Amino acid sequence: MTGYVPGEQPKPNTTIIKLNTNENPYPPSPDAIVALQNIQGEWLRRYPDPYANEFRQAVSAALGVPLDWIIVGNGSDDILNVIIRACAEPKRNVVYPVPTYVLYRTLTAMQPAETIEIPYGDDYHLPIADLIATNGAVTFIASPNSPSGHVVAIDELRQLATALTGVLVIDEAYVDFAEGSALPLVQEFENVIVTRTLSKGYSLAGLRLGFGIAQPSLLSGLFKVKDSYNIDAIANAVGAAAMRDQAYKNECAAKVKASRTKLAIDLKQLGFHLWESHANFLLAQPPQGNAEQIYLALKERGILVRYFKQAGLSDKLRISVGTDEQNQLLVEALLPLV
Ligand SMILES: *Cc1c(COP(=O)(O)O)cnc(C)c1O
């Protein structure tokens, strides 16, 4: 199988401007840092709570969903993996529109199941009829999607959930930078799970914490196959503090969204073609289509953006939205390159 290739991670304390893996440019909530400082050695001596109930309670309060509708994972990647492990087997395939998050393919490659990739239509129109006809054991829809940044309308997701007999996973890793959410569908359908992460909106990619929301009947199957201690005691406590501080998260997300608007204007002025983004990154096509060249030239100048050498993306760059200062340095570095 082909392994997943994560975005490059420079050594700590280097002066790289890192706009390649959609991390939040702002620090985590001060409350999360206090929680980290208050970790007791005794909590680490013991095995952690297998269900991360402190964190679940914080999610329950923040989102208004019952505690037993929440499954917690070591990053939302862990939840995605658990779903595939629980649901996919020979002839019970994993289906998703492409381009999207490449990890769906990697996680499925580890199981005795196939992936069926259905291309998005022009301007990322959801191939809804083909997705329904394929009727996967698991269907993944990232919304907002990466790398396009587009959102799938809740009515289309409802159509899918109604027609599919398998599990519909709505991957909302970037929801904190969007206007709406498909979370209400969890109430309507027992085959829908919405996954979220603390890596992007909450500035905690290094902590590894994510969660899924679904009806208990679906979660009971997932609990059977998850690692018993998949969330460590530190993530449980620190993540709970971050989740309780919704105001801070919303404030950072608002700053990122304002910077996204500004950066989009600047890139358009440089001649880039852009897709409307509801996430903390922009998919940008340079005027000459020479994305790889620009990616390498930026890297030489200490600015990392994401380049995907694959069909439909090889002439585009995915650029995470940084602080206004970082974005300005990016735009200045791009000037002589386009
Ligand atoms: C970043 C990302 C995730 C993974 O988040 P973690 O919680 O850090 O594992 C999941 N899905 C998509 C689409 C992402 O971009």
mmCIF file with all atom_site columns, all heavy atoms in Angstrom, residues 21-22 74-78 80 101 104 142 144 146 171 173-174 196-200 205 208-210 318, ligand 1:
data_model
loop_
_atom_site.group_PDB
_atom_site.id
_atom_site.type_symbol
_atom_site.label_atom_id
_atom_site.label_alt_id
_atom_site.label_comp_id
_atom_site.label_asym_id
_atom_site.label_entity_id
_atom_site.label_seq_id
_atom_site.pdbx_PDB_ins_code
_atom_site.Cartn_x
_atom_site.Cartn_y
_atom_site.Cartn_z
_atom_site.occupancy
_atom_site.B_iso_or_equiv
_atom_site.pdbx_formal_charge
_atom_site.auth_seq_id
_atom_site.auth_comp_id
_atom_site.auth_asym_id
_atom_site.auth_atom_id
_atom_site.pdbx_PDB_model_num
ATOM   1   N N   . THR A 1 21  ? -0.172  23.090 6.432  1.00 0.00 ? 21  THR A N   1
ATOM   2   C CA  . THR A 1 21  ? -0.992  22.015 7.011  1.00 0.00 ? 21  THR A CA  1
ATOM   3   C C   . THR A 1 21  ? -2.200  22.543 7.791  1.00 0.00 ? 21  THR A C   1
ATOM   4   O O   . THR A 1 21  ? -2.744  21.852 8.652  1.00 0.00 ? 21  THR A O   1
ATOM   5   C CB  . THR A 1 21  ? -0.170  21.060 7.906  1.00 0.00 ? 21  THR A CB  1
ATOM   6   O OG1 . THR A 1 21  ? 0.472   21.821 8.923  1.00 0.00 ? 21  THR A OG1 1
ATOM   7   C CG2 . THR A 1 21  ? 0.876   20.291 7.115  1.00 0.00 ? 21  THR A CG2 1
ATOM   8   N N   . ASN A 1 22  ? -2.592  23.771 7.479  1.00 0.00 ? 22  ASN A N   1
ATOM   9   C CA  . ASN A 1 22  ? -3.838  24.331 8.009  1.00 0.00 ? 22  ASN A CA  1
ATOM   10  C C   . ASN A 1 22  ? -3.907  24.401 9.533  1.00 0.00 ? 22  ASN A C   1
ATOM   11  O O   . ASN A 1 22  ? -4.980  24.302 10.121 1.00 0.00 ? 22  ASN A O   1
ATOM   12  C CB  . ASN A 1 22  ? -5.049  23.557 7.466  1.00 0.00 ? 22  ASN A CB  1
ATOM   13  C CG  . ASN A 1 22  ? -5.102  23.596 5.956  1.00 0.00 ? 22  ASN A CG  1
ATOM   14  O OD1 . ASN A 1 22  ? -4.506  24.489 5.352  1.00 0.00 ? 22  ASN A OD1 1
ATOM   15  N ND2 . ASN A 1 22  ? -5.799  22.662 5.344  1.00 0.00 ? 22  ASN A ND2 1
ATOM   16  N N   . ASN A 1 74  ? -8.121  10.069 19.240 1.00 0.00 ? 74  ASN A N   1
ATOM   17  C CA  . ASN A 1 74  ? -6.769  10.618 19.225 1.00 0.00 ? 74  ASN A CA  1
ATOM   18  C C   . ASN A 1 74  ? -6.583  11.387 17.905 1.00 0.00 ? 74  ASN A C   1
ATOM   19  O O   . ASN A 1 74  ? -5.945  10.929 16.960 1.00 0.00 ? 74  ASN A O   1
ATOM   20  C CB  . ASN A 1 74  ? -5.794  9.442  19.356 1.00 0.00 ? 74  ASN A CB  1
ATOM   21  C CG  . ASN A 1 74  ? -4.348  9.871  19.372 1.00 0.00 ? 74  ASN A CG  1
ATOM   22  O OD1 . ASN A 1 74  ? -4.013  10.922 19.905 1.00 0.00 ? 74  ASN A OD1 1
ATOM   23  N ND2 . ASN A 1 74  ? -3.496  9.068  18.783 1.00 0.00 ? 74  ASN A ND2 1
ATOM   24  N N   . GLY A 1 75  ? -7.214  12.558 17.861 1.00 0.00 ? 75  GLY A N   1
ATOM   25  C CA  . GLY A 1 75  ? -7.381  13.272 16.602 1.00 0.00 ? 75  GLY A CA  1
ATOM   26  C C   . GLY A 1 75  ? -8.614  12.730 15.909 1.00 0.00 ? 75  GLY A C   1
ATOM   27  O O   . GLY A 1 75  ? -9.055  11.607 16.197 1.00 0.00 ? 75  GLY A O   1
ATOM   28  N N   . SER A 1 76  ? -9.206  13.525 15.009 1.00 0.00 ? 76  SER A N   1
ATOM   29  C CA  . SER A 1 76  ? -10.368 12.964 14.309 1.00 0.00 ? 76  SER A CA  1
ATOM   30  C C   . SER A 1 76  ? -9.921  11.875 13.339 1.00 0.00 ? 76  SER A C   1
ATOM   31  O O   . SER A 1 76  ? -10.704 11.010 12.963 1.00 0.00 ? 76  SER A O   1
ATOM   32  C CB  . SER A 1 76  ? -11.205 14.048 13.629 1.00 0.00 ? 76  SER A CB  1
ATOM   33  O OG  . SER A 1 76  ? -10.474 14.717 12.655 1.00 0.00 ? 76  SER A OG  1
ATOM   34  N N   . ASP A 1 77  ? -8.646  11.873 12.959 1.00 0.00 ? 77  ASP A N   1
ATOM   35  C CA  . ASP A 1 77  ? -8.127  10.767 12.137 1.00 0.00 ? 77  ASP A CA  1
ATOM   36  C C   . ASP A 1 77  ? -8.405  9.410  12.801 1.00 0.00 ? 77  ASP A C   1
ATOM   37  O O   . ASP A 1 77  ? -8.688  8.419  12.119 1.00 0.00 ? 77  ASP A O   1
ATOM   38  C CB  . ASP A 1 77  ? -6.612  10.907 11.952 1.00 0.00 ? 77  ASP A CB  1
ATOM   39  C CG  . ASP A 1 77  ? -6.227  12.053 11.013 1.00 0.00 ? 77  ASP A CG  1
ATOM   40  O OD1 . ASP A 1 77  ? -7.125  12.625 10.366 1.00 0.00 ? 77  ASP A OD1 1
ATOM   41  O OD2 . ASP A 1 77  ? -5.030  12.359 10.927 1.00 0.00 ? 77  ASP A OD2 1
ATOM   42  N N   . ASP A 1 78  ? -8.279  9.362  14.114 1.00 0.00 ? 78  ASP A N   1
ATOM   43  C CA  . ASP A 1 78  ? -8.539  8.130  14.858 1.00 0.00 ? 78  ASP A CA  1
ATOM   44  C C   . ASP A 1 78  ? -10.008 7.700  14.687 1.00 0.00 ? 78  ASP A C   1
ATOM   45  O O   . ASP A 1 78  ? -10.307 6.518  14.491 1.00 0.00 ? 78  ASP A O   1
ATOM   46  C CB  . ASP A 1 78  ? -8.197  8.373  16.341 1.00 0.00 ? 78  ASP A CB  1
ATOM   47  C CG  . ASP A 1 78  ? -8.388  7.162  17.235 1.00 0.00 ? 78  ASP A CG  1
ATOM   48  O OD1 . ASP A 1 78  ? -8.213  6.022  16.752 1.00 0.00 ? 78  ASP A OD1 1
ATOM   49  O OD2 . ASP A 1 78  ? -8.708  7.350  18.424 1.00 0.00 ? 78  ASP A OD2 1
ATOM   50  N N   . LEU A 1 80  ? -11.971 8.492  12.156 1.00 0.00 ? 80  LEU A N   1
ATOM   51  C CA  . LEU A 1 80  ? -12.146 8.039  10.766 1.00 0.00 ? 80  LEU A CA  1
ATOM   52  C C   . LEU A 1 80  ? -11.670 6.595  10.632 1.00 0.00 ? 80  LEU A C   1
ATOM   53  O O   . LEU A 1 80  ? -12.314 5.755  9.990  1.00 0.00 ? 80  LEU A O   1
ATOM   54  C CB  . LEU A 1 80  ? -11.354 8.942  9.805  1.00 0.00 ? 80  LEU A CB  1
ATOM   55  C CG  . LEU A 1 80  ? -11.647 10.452 9.878  1.00 0.00 ? 80  LEU A CG  1
ATOM   56  C CD1 . LEU A 1 80  ? -10.719 11.226 8.940  1.00 0.00 ? 80  LEU A CD1 1
ATOM   57  C CD2 . LEU A 1 80  ? -13.111 10.745 9.549  1.00 0.00 ? 80  LEU A CD2 1
ATOM   58  N N   . TYR A 1 101 ? -9.729  14.734 1.290  1.00 0.00 ? 101 TYR A N   1
ATOM   59  C CA  . TYR A 1 101 ? -8.710  14.347 2.258  1.00 0.00 ? 101 TYR A CA  1
ATOM   60  C C   . TYR A 1 101 ? -8.151  12.963 1.873  1.00 0.00 ? 101 TYR A C   1
ATOM   61  O O   . TYR A 1 101 ? -8.892  11.984 1.819  1.00 0.00 ? 101 TYR A O   1
ATOM   62  C CB  . TYR A 1 101 ? -9.378  14.297 3.628  1.00 0.00 ? 101 TYR A CB  1
ATOM   63  C CG  . TYR A 1 101 ? -8.455  14.178 4.819  1.00 0.00 ? 101 TYR A CG  1
ATOM   64  C CD1 . TYR A 1 101 ? -7.197  14.754 4.819  1.00 0.00 ? 101 TYR A CD1 1
ATOM   65  C CD2 . TYR A 1 101 ? -8.879  13.513 5.961  1.00 0.00 ? 101 TYR A CD2 1
ATOM   66  C CE1 . TYR A 1 101 ? -6.379  14.661 5.930  1.00 0.00 ? 101 TYR A CE1 1
ATOM   67  C CE2 . TYR A 1 101 ? -8.078  13.415 7.080  1.00 0.00 ? 101 TYR A CE2 1
ATOM   68  C CZ  . TYR A 1 101 ? -6.819  13.994 7.055  1.00 0.00 ? 101 TYR A CZ  1
ATOM   69  O OH  . TYR A 1 101 ? -6.019  13.901 8.162  1.00 0.00 ? 101 TYR A OH  1
ATOM   70  N N   . TYR A 1 104 ? -8.508  9.180  3.715  1.00 0.00 ? 104 TYR A N   1
ATOM   71  C CA  . TYR A 1 104 ? -9.588  8.185  3.568  1.00 0.00 ? 104 TYR A CA  1
ATOM   72  C C   . TYR A 1 104 ? -9.082  6.975  2.786  1.00 0.00 ? 104 TYR A C   1
ATOM   73  O O   . TYR A 1 104 ? -9.399  5.834  3.099  1.00 0.00 ? 104 TYR A O   1
ATOM   74  C CB  . TYR A 1 104 ? -10.812 8.768  2.839  1.00 0.00 ? 104 TYR A CB  1
ATOM   75  C CG  . TYR A 1 104 ? -11.398 10.032 3.428  1.00 0.00 ? 104 TYR A CG  1
ATOM   76  C CD1 . TYR A 1 104 ? -11.954 11.008 2.599  1.00 0.00 ? 104 TYR A CD1 1
ATOM   77  C CD2 . TYR A 1 104 ? -11.423 10.254 4.793  1.00 0.00 ? 104 TYR A CD2 1
ATOM   78  C CE1 . TYR A 1 104 ? -12.499 12.177 3.112  1.00 0.00 ? 104 TYR A CE1 1
ATOM   79  C CE2 . TYR A 1 104 ? -11.966 11.428 5.317  1.00 0.00 ? 104 TYR A CE2 1
ATOM   80  C CZ  . TYR A 1 104 ? -12.495 12.383 4.467  1.00 0.00 ? 104 TYR A CZ  1
ATOM   81  O OH  . TYR A 1 104 ? -13.033 13.542 4.978  1.00 0.00 ? 104 TYR A OH  1
ATOM   82  N N   . ALA A 1 142 ? -16.209 15.436 3.187  1.00 0.00 ? 142 ALA A N   1
ATOM   83  C CA  . ALA A 1 142 ? -15.582 16.488 3.984  1.00 0.00 ? 142 ALA A CA  1
ATOM   84  C C   . ALA A 1 142 ? -16.269 17.805 3.629  1.00 0.00 ? 142 ALA A C   1
ATOM   85  O O   . ALA A 1 142 ? -16.359 18.162 2.467  1.00 0.00 ? 142 ALA A O   1
ATOM   86  C CB  . ALA A 1 142 ? -14.094 16.575 3.688  1.00 0.00 ? 142 ALA A CB  1
ATOM   87  N N   . PRO A 1 144 ? -16.553 21.770 5.440  1.00 0.00 ? 144 PRO A N   1
ATOM   88  C CA  . PRO A 1 144 ? -15.836 22.210 4.255  1.00 0.00 ? 144 PRO A CA  1
ATOM   89  C C   . PRO A 1 144 ? -14.823 21.159 3.786  1.00 0.00 ? 144 PRO A C   1
ATOM   90  O O   . PRO A 1 144 ? -14.215 20.487 4.599  1.00 0.00 ? 144 PRO A O   1
ATOM   91  C CB  . PRO A 1 144 ? -15.121 23.483 4.719  1.00 0.00 ? 144 PRO A CB  1
ATOM   92  C CG  . PRO A 1 144 ? -15.907 23.968 5.899  1.00 0.00 ? 144 PRO A CG  1
ATOM   93  C CD  . PRO A 1 144 ? -16.426 22.752 6.555  1.00 0.00 ? 144 PRO A CD  1
ATOM   94  N N   . SER A 1 146 ? -11.391 19.759 1.907  1.00 0.00 ? 146 SER A N   1
ATOM   95  C CA  . SER A 1 146 ? -10.006 20.106 1.606  1.00 0.00 ? 146 SER A CA  1
ATOM   96  C C   . SER A 1 146 ? -9.614  19.321 0.357  1.00 0.00 ? 146 SER A C   1
ATOM   97  O O   . SER A 1 146 ? -9.931  18.129 0.272  1.00 0.00 ? 146 SER A O   1
ATOM   98  C CB  . SER A 1 146 ? -9.096  19.723 2.773  1.00 0.00 ? 146 SER A CB  1
ATOM   99  O OG  . SER A 1 146 ? -7.749  19.903 2.425  1.00 0.00 ? 146 SER A OG  1
ATOM   100 N N   . ASP A 1 171 ? -17.290 14.975 7.556  1.00 0.00 ? 171 ASP A N   1
ATOM   101 C CA  . ASP A 1 171 ? -16.034 15.365 8.195  1.00 0.00 ? 171 ASP A CA  1
ATOM   102 C C   . ASP A 1 171 ? -15.992 16.891 8.285  1.00 0.00 ? 171 ASP A C   1
ATOM   103 O O   . ASP A 1 171 ? -15.738 17.577 7.298  1.00 0.00 ? 171 ASP A O   1
ATOM   104 C CB  . ASP A 1 171 ? -14.867 14.813 7.364  1.00 0.00 ? 171 ASP A CB  1
ATOM   105 C CG  . ASP A 1 171 ? -13.499 15.141 7.953  1.00 0.00 ? 171 ASP A CG  1
ATOM   106 O OD1 . ASP A 1 171 ? -13.409 16.036 8.819  1.00 0.00 ? 171 ASP A OD1 1
ATOM   107 O OD2 . ASP A 1 171 ? -12.521 14.493 7.529  1.00 0.00 ? 171 ASP A OD2 1
ATOM   108 N N   . ALA A 1 173 ? -13.903 18.942 9.906  1.00 0.00 ? 173 ALA A N   1
ATOM   109 C CA  . ALA A 1 173 ? -12.637 19.401 10.504 1.00 0.00 ? 173 ALA A CA  1
ATOM   110 C C   . ALA A 1 173 ? -12.511 20.931 10.463 1.00 0.00 ? 173 ALA A C   1
ATOM   111 O O   . ALA A 1 173 ? -11.891 21.532 11.332 1.00 0.00 ? 173 ALA A O   1
ATOM   112 C CB  . ALA A 1 173 ? -11.450 18.757 9.784  1.00 0.00 ? 173 ALA A CB  1
ATOM   113 N N   . TYR A 1 174 ? -13.119 21.559 9.433  1.00 0.00 ? 174 TYR A N   1
ATOM   114 C CA  . TYR A 1 174 ? -12.949 23.006 9.241  1.00 0.00 ? 174 TYR A CA  1
ATOM   115 C C   . TYR A 1 174 ? -14.199 23.810 9.587  1.00 0.00 ? 174 TYR A C   1
ATOM   116 O O   . TYR A 1 174 ? -14.318 24.965 9.210  1.00 0.00 ? 174 TYR A O   1
ATOM   117 C CB  . TYR A 1 174 ? -12.534 23.284 7.789  1.00 0.00 ? 174 TYR A CB  1
ATOM   118 C CG  . TYR A 1 174 ? -11.208 22.668 7.454  1.00 0.00 ? 174 TYR A CG  1
ATOM   119 C CD1 . TYR A 1 174 ? -11.137 21.491 6.721  1.00 0.00 ? 174 TYR A CD1 1
ATOM   120 C CD2 . TYR A 1 174 ? -10.027 23.235 7.908  1.00 0.00 ? 174 TYR A CD2 1
ATOM   121 C CE1 . TYR A 1 174 ? -9.920  20.899 6.431  1.00 0.00 ? 174 TYR A CE1 1
ATOM   122 C CE2 . TYR A 1 174 ? -8.808  22.648 7.625  1.00 0.00 ? 174 TYR A CE2 1
ATOM   123 C CZ  . TYR A 1 174 ? -8.758  21.487 6.892  1.00 0.00 ? 174 TYR A CZ  1
ATOM   124 O OH  . TYR A 1 174 ? -7.546  20.905 6.617  1.00 0.00 ? 174 TYR A OH  1
ATOM   125 N N   . ARG A 1 196 ? -15.397 16.002 14.133 1.00 0.00 ? 196 ARG A N   1
ATOM   126 C CA  . ARG A 1 196 ? -14.807 17.329 14.393 1.00 0.00 ? 196 ARG A CA  1
ATOM   127 C C   . ARG A 1 196 ? -13.402 17.144 14.972 1.00 0.00 ? 196 ARG A C   1
ATOM   128 O O   . ARG A 1 196 ? -13.070 16.078 15.473 1.00 0.00 ? 196 ARG A O   1
ATOM   129 C CB  . ARG A 1 196 ? -15.653 18.085 15.440 1.00 0.00 ? 196 ARG A CB  1
ATOM   130 C CG  . ARG A 1 196 ? -17.117 18.323 15.032 1.00 0.00 ? 196 ARG A CG  1
ATOM   131 C CD  . ARG A 1 196 ? -17.265 19.692 14.404 1.00 0.00 ? 196 ARG A CD  1
ATOM   132 N NE  . ARG A 1 196 ? -18.647 20.000 14.041 1.00 0.00 ? 196 ARG A NE  1
ATOM   133 C CZ  . ARG A 1 196 ? -19.442 20.833 14.726 1.00 0.00 ? 196 ARG A CZ  1
ATOM   134 N NH1 . ARG A 1 196 ? -19.004 21.398 15.833 1.00 0.00 ? 196 ARG A NH1 1
ATOM   135 N NH2 . ARG A 1 196 ? -20.659 21.095 14.310 1.00 0.00 ? 196 ARG A NH2 1
ATOM   136 N N   . THR A 1 197 ? -12.626 18.215 14.958 1.00 0.00 ? 197 THR A N   1
ATOM   137 C CA  . THR A 1 197 ? -11.271 18.140 15.511 1.00 0.00 ? 197 THR A CA  1
ATOM   138 C C   . THR A 1 197 ? -10.937 19.393 16.307 1.00 0.00 ? 197 THR A C   1
ATOM   139 O O   . THR A 1 197 ? -11.516 20.453 16.068 1.00 0.00 ? 197 THR A O   1
ATOM   140 C CB  . THR A 1 197 ? -10.235 17.965 14.381 1.00 0.00 ? 197 THR A CB  1
ATOM   141 O OG1 . THR A 1 197 ? -8.929  17.950 14.955 1.00 0.00 ? 197 THR A OG1 1
ATOM   142 C CG2 . THR A 1 197 ? -10.295 19.089 13.359 1.00 0.00 ? 197 THR A CG2 1
ATOM   143 N N   . LEU A 1 198 ? -9.994  19.270 17.225 1.00 0.00 ? 198 LEU A N   1
ATOM   144 C CA  . LEU A 1 198 ? -9.470  20.446 17.923 1.00 0.00 ? 198 LEU A CA  1
ATOM   145 C C   . LEU A 1 198 ? -8.196  20.967 17.252 1.00 0.00 ? 198 LEU A C   1
ATOM   146 O O   . LEU A 1 198 ? -7.595  21.924 17.703 1.00 0.00 ? 198 LEU A O   1
ATOM   147 C CB  . LEU A 1 198 ? -9.217  20.127 19.404 1.00 0.00 ? 198 LEU A CB  1
ATOM   148 C CG  . LEU A 1 198 ? -10.486 20.302 20.260 1.00 0.00 ? 198 LEU A CG  1
ATOM   149 C CD1 . LEU A 1 198 ? -11.450 19.165 20.054 1.00 0.00 ? 198 LEU A CD1 1
ATOM   150 C CD2 . LEU A 1 198 ? -10.155 20.483 21.721 1.00 0.00 ? 198 LEU A CD2 1
ATOM   151 N N   . SER A 1 199 ? -7.809  20.307 16.154 1.00 0.00 ? 199 SER A N   1
ATOM   152 C CA  . SER A 1 199 ? -6.532  20.648 15.523 1.00 0.00 ? 199 SER A CA  1
ATOM   153 C C   . SER A 1 199 ? -6.558  21.988 14.795 1.00 0.00 ? 199 SER A C   1
ATOM   154 O O   . SER A 1 199 ? -5.543  22.664 14.702 1.00 0.00 ? 199 SER A O   1
ATOM   155 C CB  . SER A 1 199 ? -6.143  19.566 14.515 1.00 0.00 ? 199 SER A CB  1
ATOM   156 O OG  . SER A 1 199 ? -5.962  18.333 15.146 1.00 0.00 ? 199 SER A OG  1
ATOM   157 N N   . LYS A 1 200 ? -7.704  22.355 14.238 1.00 0.00 ? 200 LYS A N   1
ATOM   158 C CA  . LYS A 1 200 ? -7.749  23.553 13.413 1.00 0.00 ? 200 LYS A CA  1
ATOM   159 C C   . LYS A 1 200 ? -8.352  24.723 14.193 1.00 0.00 ? 200 LYS A C   1
ATOM   160 O O   . LYS A 1 200 ? -7.644  25.634 14.567 1.00 0.00 ? 200 LYS A O   1
ATOM   161 C CB  . LYS A 1 200 ? -8.543  23.270 12.136 1.00 0.00 ? 200 LYS A CB  1
ATOM   162 C CG  . LYS A 1 200 ? -7.790  22.566 11.016 1.00 0.00 ? 200 LYS A CG  1
ATOM   163 C CD  . LYS A 1 200 ? -7.418  21.165 11.189 1.00 0.00 ? 200 LYS A CD  1
ATOM   164 C CE  . LYS A 1 200 ? -6.600  20.534 10.124 1.00 0.00 ? 200 LYS A CE  1
ATOM   165 N NZ  . LYS A 1 200 ? -7.178  19.332 9.564  1.00 0.00 ? 200 LYS A NZ  1
ATOM   166 N N   . ALA A 1 205 ? -3.414  21.134 17.255 1.00 0.00 ? 205 ALA A N   1
ATOM   167 C CA  . ALA A 1 205 ? -3.040  20.014 16.381 1.00 0.00 ? 205 ALA A CA  1
ATOM   168 C C   . ALA A 1 205 ? -2.037  19.086 17.062 1.00 0.00 ? 205 ALA A C   1
ATOM   169 O O   . ALA A 1 205 ? -2.034  17.876 16.841 1.00 0.00 ? 205 ALA A O   1
ATOM   170 C CB  . ALA A 1 205 ? -2.468  20.546 15.068 1.00 0.00 ? 205 ALA A CB  1
ATOM   171 N N   . ARG A 1 208 ? -3.555  16.169 19.613 1.00 0.00 ? 208 ARG A N   1
ATOM   172 C CA  . ARG A 1 208 ? -4.243  15.027 19.026 1.00 0.00 ? 208 ARG A CA  1
ATOM   173 C C   . ARG A 1 208 ? -5.573  14.772 19.743 1.00 0.00 ? 208 ARG A C   1
ATOM   174 O O   . ARG A 1 208 ? -5.662  13.944 20.661 1.00 0.00 ? 208 ARG A O   1
ATOM   175 C CB  . ARG A 1 208 ? -3.387  13.746 19.019 1.00 0.00 ? 208 ARG A CB  1
ATOM   176 C CG  . ARG A 1 208 ? -2.003  13.884 18.463 1.00 0.00 ? 208 ARG A CG  1
ATOM   177 C CD  . ARG A 1 208 ? -1.979  14.510 17.078 1.00 0.00 ? 208 ARG A CD  1
ATOM   178 N NE  . ARG A 1 208 ? -2.791  13.754 16.127 1.00 0.00 ? 208 ARG A NE  1
ATOM   179 C CZ  . ARG A 1 208 ? -3.687  14.310 15.310 1.00 0.00 ? 208 ARG A CZ  1
ATOM   180 N NH1 . ARG A 1 208 ? -3.888  15.620 15.303 1.00 0.00 ? 208 ARG A NH1 1
ATOM   181 N NH2 . ARG A 1 208 ? -4.376  13.568 14.490 1.00 0.00 ? 208 ARG A NH2 1
ATOM   182 N N   . LEU A 1 209 ? -6.594  15.470 19.339 1.00 0.00 ? 209 LEU A N   1
ATOM   183 C CA  . LEU A 1 209 ? -7.911  15.264 19.931 1.00 0.00 ? 209 LEU A CA  1
ATOM   184 C C   . LEU A 1 209 ? -8.994  15.605 18.907 1.00 0.00 ? 209 LEU A C   1
ATOM   185 O O   . LEU A 1 209 ? -8.969  16.675 18.294 1.00 0.00 ? 209 LEU A O   1
ATOM   186 C CB  . LEU A 1 209 ? -8.068  16.138 21.191 1.00 0.00 ? 209 LEU A CB  1
ATOM   187 C CG  . LEU A 1 209 ? -9.258  15.827 22.089 1.00 0.00 ? 209 LEU A CG  1
ATOM   188 C CD1 . LEU A 1 209 ? -9.168  14.420 22.676 1.00 0.00 ? 209 LEU A CD1 1
ATOM   189 C CD2 . LEU A 1 209 ? -9.369  16.844 23.221 1.00 0.00 ? 209 LEU A CD2 1
ATOM   190 N N   . GLY A 1 210 ? -9.915  14.671 18.737 1.00 0.00 ? 210 GLY A N   1
ATOM   191 C CA  . GLY A 1 210 ? -11.048 14.885 17.847 1.00 0.00 ? 210 GLY A CA  1
ATOM   192 C C   . GLY A 1 210 ? -12.232 14.109 18.384 1.00 0.00 ? 210 GLY A C   1
ATOM   193 O O   . GLY A 1 210 ? -12.101 13.355 19.362 1.00 0.00 ? 210 GLY A O   1
ATOM   194 N N   . ARG A 1 318 ? -2.452  24.894 -2.159 1.00 0.00 ? 318 ARG A N   1
ATOM   195 C CA  . ARG A 1 318 ? -3.339  25.119 -1.018 1.00 0.00 ? 318 ARG A CA  1
ATOM   196 C C   . ARG A 1 318 ? -2.552  25.899 0.022  1.00 0.00 ? 318 ARG A C   1
ATOM   197 O O   . ARG A 1 318 ? -1.515  25.456 0.500  1.00 0.00 ? 318 ARG A O   1
ATOM   198 C CB  . ARG A 1 318 ? -3.826  23.790 -0.425 1.00 0.00 ? 318 ARG A CB  1
ATOM   199 C CG  . ARG A 1 318 ? -4.984  23.988 0.560  1.00 0.00 ? 318 ARG A CG  1
ATOM   200 C CD  . ARG A 1 318 ? -5.269  22.753 1.380  1.00 0.00 ? 318 ARG A CD  1
ATOM   201 N NE  . ARG A 1 318 ? -4.159  22.458 2.274  1.00 0.00 ? 318 ARG A NE  1
ATOM   202 C CZ  . ARG A 1 318 ? -4.051  21.347 2.995  1.00 0.00 ? 318 ARG A CZ  1
ATOM   203 N NH1 . ARG A 1 318 ? -4.996  20.426 2.935  1.00 0.00 ? 318 ARG A NH1 1
ATOM   204 N NH2 . ARG A 1 318 ? -3.015  21.159 3.781  1.00 0.00 ? 318 ARG A NH2 1
HETATM 205 C C1  . LIG B 2 .   ? -7.014  18.086 9.428  1.00 0.00 ? 1   LIG B C1  1
HETATM 206 C C2  . LIG B 2 .   ? -8.103  17.190 8.953  1.00 0.00 ? 1   LIG B C2  1
HETATM 207 C C3  . LIG B 2 .   ? -8.527  16.107 9.723  1.00 0.00 ? 1   LIG B C3  1
HETATM 208 C C4  . LIG B 2 .   ? -7.701  15.552 10.842 1.00 0.00 ? 1   LIG B C4  1
HETATM 209 O O1  . LIG B 2 .   ? -7.744  16.150 11.997 1.00 0.00 ? 1   LIG B O1  1
HETATM 210 P P1  . LIG B 2 .   ? -7.003  15.556 13.266 1.00 0.00 ? 1   LIG B P1  1
HETATM 211 O O2  . LIG B 2 .   ? -8.021  15.738 14.310 1.00 0.00 ? 1   LIG B O2  1
HETATM 212 O O3  . LIG B 2 .   ? -5.792  16.399 13.437 1.00 0.00 ? 1   LIG B O3  1
HETATM 213 O O4  . LIG B 2 .   ? -6.685  14.107 13.069 1.00 0.00 ? 1   LIG B O4  1
HETATM 214 C C5  . LIG B 2 .   ? -9.613  15.381 9.302  1.00 0.00 ? 1   LIG B C5  1
HETATM 215 N N1  . LIG B 2 .   ? -10.240 15.673 8.144  1.00 0.00 ? 1   LIG B N1  1
HETATM 216 C C6  . LIG B 2 .   ? -9.841  16.673 7.366  1.00 0.00 ? 1   LIG B C6  1
HETATM 217 C C7  . LIG B 2 .   ? -10.571 16.942 6.103  1.00 0.00 ? 1   LIG B C7  1
HETATM 218 C C8  . LIG B 2 .   ? -8.748  17.451 7.740  1.00 0.00 ? 1   LIG B C8  1
HETATM 219 O O5  . LIG B 2 .   ? -8.305  18.413 6.943  1.00 0.00 ? 1   LIG B O5  1
#
